[in-house]
Amino acid sequence: MPAAYLDLVTALRQGFPQPVSDRVHDAYFVFSFLRALDQLDGMKSVSPLLGKSVELDYDAARRSRVDDDPVTLEHVTQTLVEHLSGMFIWGHPRAQINVIPPPTIASIIGGLLPSIYNPNLVSEESSRQVAVAEVEVSSMTADLIGYDPTHSAGLFTFGGTGTLLYGVKLGLEKACPGTARHGIRERAVIFCSERAHYACLSVASWLGIGQENVIQIPCSPDNEMRTCLLETMAREVLKGGGKIAAIVATMGTTDHFGLDDLKSIHEIRDRLVDEFHLDYHPHIHGDAVIGWAWSVFNDYDFQTNPLGFRLRTVRALAGTERRIRQLPLADSVGIDFHKTGFTPYVSSLFLVKDSTDLELISRKQSDTPYLFHDGHYHPGRYTLETSRAGSAPMSALANLRLFGKNGLRALLGHVVSMAEVLREQLEGHAATTVVNRGNFGPVTLFRVYPDGVDTFGVTEREQQDVSYRDQLRLHNDYNRRIYQLVQADALQGEGVVISLTDCYRESDYGEPMVALKSYLLSPFAEEQYIDAVIESLWKARAQIASETTNIA
Ligand SMILES: *Cc1c(COP(=O)(O)O)cnc(C)c1O
């Protein structure tokens, strides 16, 4: 009579991919996955949701406990599939929600293969050619944005926030040498624009720089840093004896697709180095997690326009490229393939222009005795993480190969032309105003107004006129209500899911301004769904008008 545990082990062995080729078992593995996909497919409909949106029950979740005994694989996958019920389908043409792309099949497989064979990017011994993939993607992407791949280096990390952490960490070590060993002993600041991602604050907090030492430079109406103010404020810090850990140039802000003027920032940095005889170059980090993808247009011939984009789109793409082309001026750059590169989460690449910068954060050989015996590629010497999955570089590699430059150009060109159609329509109506005007990206921020509001003058009044505060608040509420109605319409499969940002900017007198947001990233977007957004807005306006008589 064998021990009971051996029966369990024998049964559980069926739950692992077989170590030695077993075609019958392979079929079971693939079929199990197929069944899960089939169940998910059954949850698709005209609405941009998988299945139904169910009330989230965290109380039940908290009561969850581990069972005594194993259950079958089929039972587990059924449970997992249920957890996807109510998810948005980001790639649905009726979804214009956020900077969340639908992943390609190639990138899904790129992520799946490492999750079967489990390479660990801590060293090449444990990841072999998957480590090579990380180097491959780093070089391909470096070349794409205009770095010299023979001097640059790259590594994948835990999100755009991680890329920013690496950038600022390098900068901190440059500005205050020895910080990694001794801790911070002097004031160091981070400059970024007021539209920069809150990741700047997280990084300041986690690195011990302190959130109060993040200096947010006011933006122009185009949502780009006012570089003259950067110069003034940087001078003040330097005069006071402070150090500059990093200047973060946001190349594609999250909500508005604002693009900082990296060239001016670079000139200011160099000017300050001379003027103050600094013994370090304040590190410039390009937070291009969203904007990087537009670098495929760096060598696109906008004149002959071989892909045949319409003129308005050509103008928009060129308008973005004009800033993205400056990326090589940054000392390091953050890139999210999981934003504008159509991969699954998390696939974030940190690129540094000069690979020797990584020595600033390298562990001594003696601190990592067990892991790195031989071989040549030892990312574990300088990465914050120890274990790193291979899925991030593999899914990025998948898409770079799948798309080529023209594929990515076509996809971005398509979503931008759809966004241009939307902007054109919104600008053409008296009741709607685009508030990230002069913007050329896939995101459109706009406000809707009730009848009787003069939309030609209203945004300026809302922005500047403090006596208009109550009106601004009413209009904020109005837009929130429009959002709710549009959302309800979309879930019926009639309208389009868009989103709402509670504060796309503050008014001059400190009041948050709400905006509706359309983020177009689906390759399945079509003009008819742009029309559907507009129609849904009119329906919502009419409904509010019938509910209230006198909101404006
Ligand atoms: C999304 C975003 C981040 C954070 O990136 P994650 O990948 O979500 O960690 C940082 N900066 C900008 C501009 C972003 O849009």
Side-chain angles (χ1 to χ4, degrees):
M1 183 74 189
Y5 83 91
L6 278 178
D7 285 344
L8 283 176
V9 171
T10 306
L12 287 174
R13 278 180 181 159
Q14 295 306 309
F16 290 84
Q18 299 302 287
V20 175
S21 174
D22 175 342
R23 290 292 173 87
V24 175
H25 194 276
D26 276 356
Y28 168 68
F29 178 12
V30 174
F31 193 71
S32 301
F33 193 62
L34 212 77
R35 277 179 56 140
L37 288 183
D38 218 34
Q39 286 165 342
L40 285 163
D41 201 60
M43 290 156 73
K44 289 179 181 172
S45 68
V46 288
S47 132
L49 278 191
L50 273 179
K52 290 270 173 305
S53 176
V54 280
E55 197 65 38
L56 303 180
D57 189 350
Y58 292 107
D59 287 334
R62 275 192 215 95
R63 288 192 300 271
S64 238
R65 301 292 179 265
V66 178
D67 290 339
D68 280 335
D69 289 312
V71 297
T72 61
L73 173 59
E74 292 66 33
H75 190 86
V76 175
T77 48
Q78 177 66 45
T79 312
L80 297 176
V81 164
E82 279 162 18
H83 275 275
L84 290 185
S85 180
M87 272 288 302
F88 284 120
I89 301 169
W90 310 115
H92 199 286
R94 292 189 185 277
Q96 302 176 11
I97 307 168
N98 217 328
V99 55
I100 305 179
T104 64
I105 296 172
S107 68
I108 294 167
I109 293 178
L112 215 49
L113 296 181
S115 66
I116 303 172
Y117 287 96
N118 228 9
N120 186 337
L121 284 173
V122 66
S123 78
E124 63 181 9
E125 287 153 60
S126 52
S127 53
R128 307 305 303 166
Q129 296 205 60
V130 177
V132 176
E134 180 168 55
V135 175
E136 238 177 306
V137 174
S138 299
S139 300
M140 292 164 84
T141 314
D143 179 62
L144 207 58
I145 66 160
Y147 274 175
D148 173 0
T150 61
H151 285 114
S152 64
L155 57 92
F156 279 82
T157 185
F158 60 92
T161 305
T163 62
L164 197 65
L165 183 75
Y166 274 93
V168 177
K169 175 74 182 164
L170 290 179
L172 181 62
E173 201 56 35
K174 287 179 183 177
C176 313
T179 299
R181 290 191 72 78
H182 310 295
I184 302 186
R185 293 185 291 196
E186 54 196 329
R187 179 172 187 234
V189 306
I190 300 172
F191 287 106
C192 62
S193 91
E194 62 178 333
R195 301 276 184 278
H197 197 269
Y198 65 78
C200 292
L201 293 169
S202 313
V203 163
S205 152
W206 284 71
L207 286 177
I209 287 172
Q211 299 190 353
E212 287 182 358
N213 289 316
V214 176
I215 302 179
Q216 295 175 336
I217 312 290
C219 279
S220 72
D222 284 348
N223 300 300
E224 51 179 83
M225 181 191 289
R226 290 185 196 271
T227 48
C228 54
L229 294 180
L230 167 69
E231 183 154 11
T232 314
M233 292 163 108
R235 243 192 217 113
E236 258 165 47
V237 167
L238 292 170
K239 272 189 200 143
K243 297 284 184 71
I244 299 174
I247 306 170
V248 176
T250 310
M251 306 304 281
T253 60
T254 317
D255 276 348
H256 341 67
F257 203 70
L259 299 151
D260 283 343
D261 182 354
L262 195 42
K263 185 155 178 287
S264 299
I265 292 173
H266 186 262
E267 284 164 5
I268 288 166
R269 192 269 306 265
D270 286 355
R271 213 156 42 234
L272 293 171
V273 169
D274 286 345
E275 188 180 324
F276 288 85
H277 307 292
L278 299 180
D279 58 3
Y280 67 102
H281 276 68
H283 187 92
I284 299 177
H285 178 76
D287 185 359
V289 296
I290 291 181
W292 69 274
W294 272 255
S295 60
V296 291
F297 292 105
N298 283 349
D299 52 4
Y300 184 68
D301 188 340
F302 288 110
Q303 285 299 317
T304 60
N305 185 25
L307 290 177
F309 297 118
R310 50 181 119 163
L311 283 182
R312 215 181 136 125
T313 306
V314 169
R315 198 177 99 83
L317 296 172
T320 302
E321 190 271 339
R322 154 178 172 269
R323 281 288 159 80
I324 290 299
R325 145 177 39 150
Q326 301 170 349
L327 263 182
L329 294 172
D331 299 304
S332 60
V333 171
I335 286 165
D336 275 355
F337 288 97
H338 62 236
K339 280 190 175 151
T340 42
F342 301 93
T343 71
Y345 289 118
V346 170
S347 184
S348 296
L349 176 65
F350 173 70
L351 283 178
V352 58
K353 179 153 66 179
D354 181 355
S355 60
T356 58
D357 273 3
L358 291 175
E359 279 167 22
L360 294 166
I361 54 169
S362 288
R363 274 172 273 274
K364 291 185 315 224
Q365 201 89 33
S366 60
D367 291 342
T368 52
Y370 302 111
L371 291 172
F372 313 110
H373 294 302
D374 49 49
H376 307 285
Y377 183 56
H378 295 318
R381 275 190 58 224
Y382 46 78
T383 56
L384 165 62
E385 303 98 322
T386 304
S387 295
R388 281 185 309 134
S391 44
M394 290 285 276
S395 52
L397 181 63
N399 277 356
L400 291 177
R401 293 275 181 233
L402 178 74
F403 295 148
K405 286 187 195 171
N406 275 330
L408 199 47
R409 283 170 185 154
L411 285 176
L412 297 175
H414 179 65
V415 293
V416 167
S417 48
M418 288 300 108
E420 288 287 333
V421 171
L422 177 64
R423 286 193 273 268
E424 209 172 339
Q425 296 218 25
L426 290 170
E427 280 161 4
H429 286 289
T432 48
T433 315
V434 175
V435 293
N436 64 335
R437 226 173 281 161
N439 191 277
F440 297 122
V443 59
T444 307
L445 299 176
F446 60 98
R447 279 165 76 83
V448 182
Y449 295 94
D451 284 340
V453 174
D454 167 20
T455 49
F456 284 98
V458 71
T459 35
E460 227 166 75
R461 281 198 78 181
E462 288 180 334
Q463 178 69 37
Q464 298 165 359
D465 184 353
V466 65
S467 71
Y468 207 67
R469 185 193 297 268
D470 289 343
Q471 284 298 332
L472 169 60
R473 286 183 179 165
L474 278 176
H475 293 159
N476 280 348
D477 290 343
Y478 185 81
N479 278 274
R480 287 200 181 91
R481 182 82 183 113
I482 293 268
Y483 167 73
Q484 287 167 349
L485 293 170
V486 168
Q487 183 85 351
D489 203 23
L491 296 184
Q492 299 296 323
E494 293 190 17
V496 172
V497 186
I498 56 173
S499 55
L500 177 106
T501 173
D502 277 311
C503 181
Y504 77 94
R505 77 157 68 126
E506 278 188 359
S507 72
D508 298 349
Y509 44 95
E511 200 69 35
M513 296 163 90
V514 167
L516 298 163
K517 174 163 104 174
S518 151
Y519 217 119
L520 274 148
L521 267 189
S522 170
F524 299 95
E526 292 284 350
E527 229 170 295
Q528 69 183 98
Y529 302 105
I530 306 298
D531 297 339
V533 175
I534 303 289
E535 278 158 29
S536 189
L537 293 177
W538 296 161
K539 253 165 81 178
R541 281 184 87 244
Q543 165 128 17
I544 298 176
S546 73
E547 285 168 1
T548 50
T549 41
N550 195 17
I551 192 165

